[in-house]
Amino acid sequence: MSNKINVKIKLCRGMTAPAYATDGSAAIDLCAALDEGEKVVLAPGERRLIPTGISISPETSGVVAVIAARSGLGTKKGICLSNGIGVIDSDYRGEIGVGLFNTGKEDFIIERGDRIAQMMFLPVYVANFIECDELDETERGSGGFGSTGIK
C-alpha cells in the first residue's frame, strides 16, 4: 500500500497533468513544455533550463518534490540534471524548470512533450541542531571517501 498526498497543480503552456505510468511507479515523468514546433538542441557539454508547464502546491510542508534524471536518457544519451538533483521546496509556487546537461558526444534534440526528468515526493525532516563538543563514537568514525573499500 502506498502513501498518498494531495498536490494542487497549476498548468500553463498548454500542458496536461502528469500521471503515474504504473501502480508501482514512484515518480511521474516531467515533459518539455516548449512551443509547438520548437526544438532545443543541447550540444555536448551544454546546459539548458527546460520549462515543464507545471507549478505545484503540496497540501503539507512535510514533503519535498525531488527532480531526478530519467535513467534511459542518462545511460543511453548522457543527459543528466545540471545540478545532479532538483529540490522543489513545499512553498515554491513558480513553474518547475529542469536543468539538463549533455555529457554525451552528440547533440540531443528536445521537442514539446518529450519526457525529460521525473519527480517524486519524499518526507522532510527539519533538524533541531544541538551544539556539542564531541559526537558519539561509531565503528567507521571519521573515515570517508573510500575508507570502506570498493568490494
Side-chain angles (χ1 to χ4, degrees), residues 45-97:
E46 186 177 7
R47 292 179 295 274
R48 186 80 65 93
L49 184 65
I50 308 297
T52 64
I54 66 171
S55 303
I56 60 171
S57 176
E59 68 181 345
T60 175
S61 62
V63 298
V64 62
V66 176
I67 310 298
R70 295 191 69 236
S71 57
L73 290 180
T75 57
K76 295 176 183 175
K77 302 291 184 179
I79 304 302
C80 306
L81 296 187
S82 60
N83 58 339
I85 190 168
V87 174
I88 311 299
D89 295 312
S90 63
D91 59 352
Y92 175 68
R93 296 297 181 265
E95 180 181 2
I96 295 171

Side-chain angles (χ1 to χ4, degrees), residues 104-124:
K105 296 180 180 176
E106 299 177 359
D107 287 351
F108 181 72
I109 299 171
I110 304 165
E111 300 181 74
R112 180 179 178 80
D114 285 352
R115 296 177 295 158
I116 56 171
Q118 53 188 334
M119 180 172 67
M120 68 188 94
F121 293 88
L122 300 174
V124 170

